Amino acid sequence: MATNIVFIGLGNMGLPMAQNLVRAGYAVTGFDLVPASVRQFADGGGLVSDDQAAAIGQADIVFTMLPASRHVLGAYLGDAGILAQARPGTLLIDCSTISTEAARQVGRAAQEKGLPMLDAPVSGGTAGATNGTLTFMVGGEESALAAARPYLDVMGKAVFHAGGSGCGQTVKICNNMLLGILMIGTSEAIRLGVANGLDPKVVSDVMAKSSGRNWTLDVYNPCPGVAENVPASRGYTGGFGVDLMLKDLGLAVESALASGASVPLGALSRNLYSLHSKAGSGALDFSSIYQLLGDKT
């Protein structure tokens, strides 16, 4: 295929996303600050280059998947940023989870340069990134989304247009706030059952078929040994980190303060994840909040 893609950010999410584009037949040049990630990308058929500016200048599409708002602002803005390097008409797609205001700031700057841009954060975790089953929550112009859709469809199973610039980030923040709340509630409920002598698998199975059913019970159970192929059953390694959930809950609280919304459970969830992170669990999967609520099992 003739489309020339640059993908910046080959971390736990970005690497499998970029690899799926490569497997679909696209020419993808990958960049990351971690040399091992770049080597892994190259081993899977991806292209690598020592000159990021030149690669961006030749690209039809630039994807970014970066950790936080400051990284996205640094990558896109300034004399050495993506906006200064991209040629006219280059489609820019940021899949990072950042603040709504940061997304709008970059979007405005891109618009001033005549560059179509989407904020397109994702849901589905590392498994979704690997399997190409992510959900994309997109903010930006309809025309830009229409141009991006063939590539998003390679990496995901669902693409939702949330509205204008920044709206993708807003709906992602809402989703992840709810996810954090549900994970804590699910962990509490299982802990309560165990404290009263019940088998955690029995508790989970009953709730999964009852009114307490939710995503964390169905596919991401936080109690070790209840479900296979989830972080809880491999020492809470892999998956979505505590510190990343803490970041997203912080974005939710910031958004609530800016908009005057009330998020008492979101704020409480942020505090609990902050305690969990400060206790040394920041690198563990976010389902390890189960450990904070009782003795480690």
Side-chain angles (χ1 to χ4, degrees):
M1 300 180 186
T3 305
N4 187 9
I5 299 173
V6 165
F7 203 111
I8 301 172
L10 302 173
N12 290 337
M13 295 292 291
L15 178 60
M17 291 169 67
Q19 288 172 327
N20 282 333
L21 289 169
V22 171
R23 282 192 282 269
Y26 293 108
V28 185
T29 304
F31 294 92
D32 196 273
L33 295 177
V34 179
S37 296
V38 177
R39 287 194 298 271
Q40 188 175 349
F41 181 63
D43 290 344
L47 304 175
V48 297
S49 170
D50 293 328
D51 194 337
Q52 180 172 304
I56 292 171
Q58 298 169 7
D60 300 301
I61 303 174
V62 176
F63 280 94
T64 48
M65 177 58 102
L66 301 171
S69 296
R70 67 181 184 276
H71 303 107
V72 173
L73 293 172
Y76 279 92
L77 305 181
D79 293 339
I82 294 168
L83 299 184
Q85 297 161 349
R87 61 186 178 182
T90 303
L91 176 59
L92 309 175
I93 306 172
D94 179 42
C95 296
S96 317
T97 297
I98 61 175
S99 72
T100 299
E101 181 49 41
R104 287 176 177 161
Q105 181 180 345
V106 175
R108 286 191 297 267
Q111 185 178 37
E112 290 171 2
K113 289 185 171 289
L115 296 167
M117 180 161 192
L118 299 171
D119 50 282
V122 302
S123 178
T126 54
T130 299
N131 298 326
T133 57
L134 292 170
T135 295
F136 285 89
M137 309 166 198
V138 183
E141 296 294 330
E142 287 272 12
S143 57
L145 175 55
R149 192 173 287 275
Y151 313 100
L152 301 182
D153 285 344
V154 167
M155 298 180 287
K157 66 176 181 179
V159 178
F160 295 99
H161 188 210
S165 179
C167 289
Q169 297 297 345
T170 299
V171 74
K172 173 63 187 293
I173 290 168
C174 294
N175 179 79
N176 276 26
M177 182 183 73
L178 180 58
L179 176 61
I181 292 168
L182 287 172
M183 182 58 78
I184 293 171
T186 296
S187 296
E188 282 190 355
I190 295 173
R191 281 287 190 188
L192 178 61
V194 170
N196 282 278
L198 297 180
D199 183 329
K201 187 171 187 343
V202 171
V203 177
S204 298
D205 288 345
V206 171
M207 291 193 297
K209 297 294 188 294
S210 304
S211 56
R213 181 181 183 184
N214 66 78
W215 185 85
T216 62
L217 277 169
D218 283 348
V219 299
Y220 218 91
N221 196 289
C223 180
V226 171
E228 298 179 358
N229 301 318
V230 296
S233 293
R234 54 174 184 265
Y236 297 106
T237 58
F240 186 62
V242 166
D243 283 345
L244 290 175
M245 175 54 77
L246 178 59
K247 180 199 79 169
D248 290 356
L249 289 167
L251 291 173
V253 172
E254 290 172 15
S255 179
L257 289 171
S259 62
S262 178
V263 291
L265 292 181
L268 177 57
S269 296
R270 181 188 180 279
N271 290 342
L272 289 172
Y273 272 102
S274 179
L275 287 172
H276 194 38
S277 175
K278 289 175 180 176
S281 300
L284 297 179
D285 181 77
F286 83 109
S287 60
S288 65
I289 196 73
Y290 183 84
Q291 295 180 321
L292 186 70
L293 302 174
D295 31 308
K296 300 178 181 180
T297 57

